[in-house]
Amino acid sequence: MSKINVEKLDDQKKLSILRKAVEKHGLSYVSRFIGVDRSTLNRYLNGKIQRIPQEIVEKASELLTVDELSDVVYGLRSTDVDPTTAISVIIKAKKDEGFRNFFLSLLWQELGDYIKEPSNSYLVTKDDIELFEKIVRNEKSRKTAEERINYLRRALADLDYELTPTKLKEYILDLSEESKGRAEHTAKALKLFIKEVVKPKSPRIARELHDSFKIPKTKPSHKPYIPEITTVKQIFNNIKDIGAKAFFLLLAETGLRVGEVLSLKLEQVDFEHRIIHVNKISETKRAYITFLHESTVKWLKEVYLSYREEFIKKYESSLRKLAEANPTQGINIEEWKAKLFPFREDSLRVEIKEAMRKVLGKEFRLYDMRAFFTSYMIKQKVPGTIVNLLQGRAPPQEFRIMEENYFVISEIELREWYDKYAPRLL
C-alpha cells in the first residue's frame, strides 16, 4: 500500500521521491524494485522523461520511511510536530472517513510494533449517563433505580469519568476495605452501566472492564503490602517522571487516599503553613487536614511546581482543541489547570510501578501506601486517634462526637505530631 496519495503530487515532488529512493538504496536496487531498467530510471532522474508514471512513484515511496517522505513532500521534520498538530490530525481523522482509513492503515503499518494492544480505556460522556438513567428508570423499581444512579454518579466522579480495568479493580478493592456494603452497591451499578451503555458501543472494551472486578460478597481477602521506609525511599528515588515522583511523595508522606491526592487543587495546598486542606466529607470519610514536611515543601516549590507549569503551557492549546472538537465529553480546561496534578492517572501509575518493579521485582497497589503510613505512625507510638485525624478515617458523626465531648487538639499540636513522626522521603 502506498504511503502517500501520488495523484496529488506535482512532477517535481514525484521526481524528489525517486531521487531520495536512489540516494538511499542505489540505482541498481531501485531499478529492480520498481521494475524498470537502469537506463530508463536514469532518464527519469535526469529529466529526459518528465512524466513519471504514478505506479513507479508509488513503488519508490515504499522504499522510504514516513519521516523521509514527509521531508521530501512537505519539508516537515518530526521535530516540528507538536501536540497541537497531532490533535489536528486526530480531529480530521474523526471527521473525514477517507483520511481516517488512510491514517489508521498508515499508523498500524508504521507503529504496529509499538502498539501492543488496543486501548482498554472508556471515557464516559454526559450522554452515557443520561442513557443509563433512562434505562434503569424504565427497567427497575423507583428505589432501585435511584440507588443505582446515585452509586454510579459517585463512582464516576471518583474515577474522573474514565474507566479502565486497573482503575476499576483497585477502586472496588479500596471501597471494600472501607465499606463492604458501599463496594457491593457500587460494583453492581458499574456492572450494569458497562452492560447497558458501554457494551453496545464497544463490546471488546466492555468485556475487559466487566471482567476486571467482582461484586464483593464476603470480607475482602486482600492483604496490603506494607514496605519498609527504606524501600519506599528507593522507589521514590527510582521514579524518573517529576509528576509521578511528586504524586508518590504525597501518597507516602500523607497517607491520603489515591483519589484524594488526585483531586487536590493547587489552592488547597498552603505552602507557607505546610497544610493540605482536603475538605472532603462523605458517609464514610472525613478528611480533616494534613501536613507537609519543610523539605517536601522546598522540593515541591523548587522542582515540581515549575515542571507542572511547563506541562500545562505545553498541552493547554491542544486540550482546548480537543474540547472544542468533543463538546459532549465535558472537558473543563479551567478545572484541569487548577489541579495540583494535571496528569493522566494511568501515566502516573505506569511510572511509579516501573520503579516498584526495578526496586522489588514486583508491584503493589498504590492504595497500600495508606497502610504504610498507618503502620509507620503506629510503630512510632503515635495514638490511633491522631493517625485517624491525619488520614481522614473518622466518619463525620463519630468525629463530631469525639471533637465535642472527648478530644480537643489544636492545629498546631496536630502538626507537631506530624512533623515529629510522619514518614520522610527527602
Side-chain angles (χ1 to χ4, degrees):
M1 176 184 293
S2 176
K3 298 176 182 177
I4 56 174
N5 188 347
V6 176
E7 290 181 359
K8 295 185 178 182
L9 301 181
D10 57 34
D11 290 340
Q12 187 56 46
K13 287 181 178 177
K14 291 178 181 178
L15 178 59
S16 296
I17 290 175
L18 208 55
R19 284 177 175 167
K20 185 70 175 180
V22 171
E23 177 186 323
K24 181 178 180 181
H25 297 284
L27 190 70
S28 297
Y29 180 84
V30 174
S31 67
R32 291 195 302 271
F33 187 84
I34 66 177
V36 301
D37 55 52
R38 286 168 55 96
S39 61
T40 302
L41 179 54
N42 259 320
R43 286 197 292 273
Y44 288 144
L45 297 173
N46 295 333
K48 293 181 179 179
I49 302 178
Q50 294 185 351
R51 303 291 294 181
I52 306 175
Q54 179 176 316
E55 61 271 15
I56 296 295
V57 182
E58 288 179 346
K59 289 287 289 184
S61 72
E62 295 177 19
L63 297 172
L64 303 178
T65 66
V66 171
D67 283 344
E68 289 168 337
L69 283 170
S70 179
D71 292 343
V72 171
V73 178
Y74 305 108
L76 177 66
R77 296 186 178 274
S78 58
T79 52
D80 299 323
V81 178
D82 58 17
T84 300
T85 306
I87 293 294
S88 299
V89 172
I90 293 172
I91 293 172
K92 179 173 175 59
K94 289 183 67 176
K95 295 180 178 179
D96 186 334
E97 183 179 0
F99 178 79
R100 179 168 64 249
N101 294 335
F102 162 74
F103 174 68
L104 292 175
S105 174
L106 188 60
L107 185 67
W108 280 102
Q109 183 178 337
E110 294 296 325
L111 298 177
D113 291 341
Y114 298 95
I115 304 174
K116 301 301 182 184
E117 58 183 24
S119 172
N120 57 5
S121 171
Y122 184 86
L123 297 177
V124 180
T125 67
K126 181 181 178 181
D127 290 342
D128 290 336
I129 298 173
E130 291 176 353
L131 175 60
F132 177 77
E133 293 182 359
K134 183 178 180 180
I135 291 172
V136 296
R137 286 195 170 108
N138 286 336
E139 298 181 358
K140 305 290 183 182
S141 67
R142 184 175 178 277
K143 180 180 178 181
T144 302
E146 291 304 318
E147 183 178 85
R148 294 284 189 270
I149 291 169
N150 290 336
Y151 276 104
L152 179 77
R153 282 187 171 275
R154 186 185 304 173
L156 293 178
D158 288 343
L159 293 164
D160 203 22
Y161 298 93
E162 180 184 24
L163 307 181
T164 69
T166 300
K167 288 178 71 172
L168 285 171
K169 180 179 180 180
E170 294 200 1
Y171 181 66
I172 296 301
L173 284 173
D174 294 347
L175 285 182
S176 297
E177 292 182 1
E178 296 190 0
S179 171
K180 187 182 70 173
R182 182 185 168 192
E184 181 179 351
H185 288 300
T186 301
K188 287 179 178 178
L190 284 167
K191 291 271 191 186
L192 185 60
F193 176 79
I194 293 167
K195 175 186 175 183
E196 298 291 350
V197 178
V198 181
K199 186 177 179 180
K201 293 184 176 182
S202 181
R204 181 190 61 79
I205 292 179
R207 184 171 59 255
E208 292 188 33
L209 296 177
H210 190 276
D211 294 345
S212 65
F213 66 98
K214 297 179 180 180
I215 296 176
K217 294 295 184 182
T218 57
K219 186 176 180 180
S221 59
H222 173 76
K223 184 177 181 181
Y225 173 78
I226 303 177
E228 297 293 331
I229 183 67
T230 53
T231 302
V232 175
K233 287 182 178 180
Q234 284 181 306
I235 293 171
F236 173 76
N237 291 329
N238 276 277
I239 299 173
K240 297 177 181 179
D241 178 75
I242 298 299
K245 205 176 187 76
F247 181 64
F248 184 79
L249 178 63
L250 260 64
L251 288 177
E253 292 191 352
T254 66
L256 292 175
R257 301 168 181 87
V258 175
E260 288 172 339
V261 177
L262 278 172
S263 63
L264 282 175
K265 295 181 179 179
L266 188 60
E267 64 182 19
Q268 290 176 256
V269 184
D270 183 343
F271 290 99
E272 181 180 353
H273 299 98
R274 300 188 287 111
I275 299 174
I276 297 177
H277 298 273
V278 184
N279 298 331
K280 182 173 183 179
I281 298 178
S282 69
E283 295 175 2
T284 59
K285 304 174 184 177
R286 188 194 200 287
Y288 180 51
I289 57 173
T290 192
F291 304 90
L292 297 169
H293 293 299
E294 288 184 3
S295 55
T296 300
V297 168
K298 184 174 185 293
W299 185 86
L300 290 173
K301 291 170 71 174
E302 293 180 356
V303 179
Y304 173 67
L305 291 183
S306 58
Y307 173 85
R308 174 187 173 276
E309 287 303 313
E310 286 300 315
F311 180 88
I312 290 175
K313 287 179 183 178
K314 183 176 181 181
Y315 292 103
E316 182 177 357
S317 62
S318 301
L319 193 60
R320 287 190 184 279
K321 286 182 179 292
L322 189 62
E324 291 170 3
N326 299 273
T328 61
Q329 291 285 348
I331 301 173
N332 190 315
I333 306 298
E334 296 309 312
E335 283 188 7
W336 171 72
K337 290 171 63 178
K339 285 186 173 183
L340 179 61
F341 295 102
F343 319 104
R344 284 181 57 87
E345 181 183 351
D346 55 352
S347 298
L348 297 174
R349 288 178 180 273
V350 166
E351 294 287 339
I352 294 170
K353 293 198 173 184
E354 182 179 338
M356 288 179 181
R357 289 192 296 271
K358 186 173 182 180
V359 173
L360 294 168
K362 64 178 182 179
E363 302 173 3
F364 59 87
R365 294 191 307 153
L366 288 184
Y367 196 85
D368 289 347
M369 294 308 300
R370 185 165 168 81
F372 156 75
F373 182 91
T374 304
S375 174
Y376 186 89
M377 295 289 275
I378 295 300
K379 287 180 181 178
Q380 307 298 311
K381 309 299 182 185
V382 178
T385 304
I386 298 294
V387 179
N388 286 341
L389 284 175
L390 289 171
Q391 293 188 280
R393 191 174 284 108
Q397 184 178 4
E398 177 185 322
F399 179 85
R400 283 195 297 273
I401 293 173
M402 176 179 65
E403 186 177 46
E404 293 170 4
N405 299 288
Y406 304 105
F407 185 76
V408 179
I409 186 169
S410 69
E411 181 181 300
I412 294 176
E413 291 172 305
L414 193 61
R415 179 162 50 193
E416 287 176 352
W417 280 101
Y418 179 88
D419 286 343
K420 187 172 182 179
Y421 297 109
R424 299 172 185 264
L425 304 192
L426 294 168

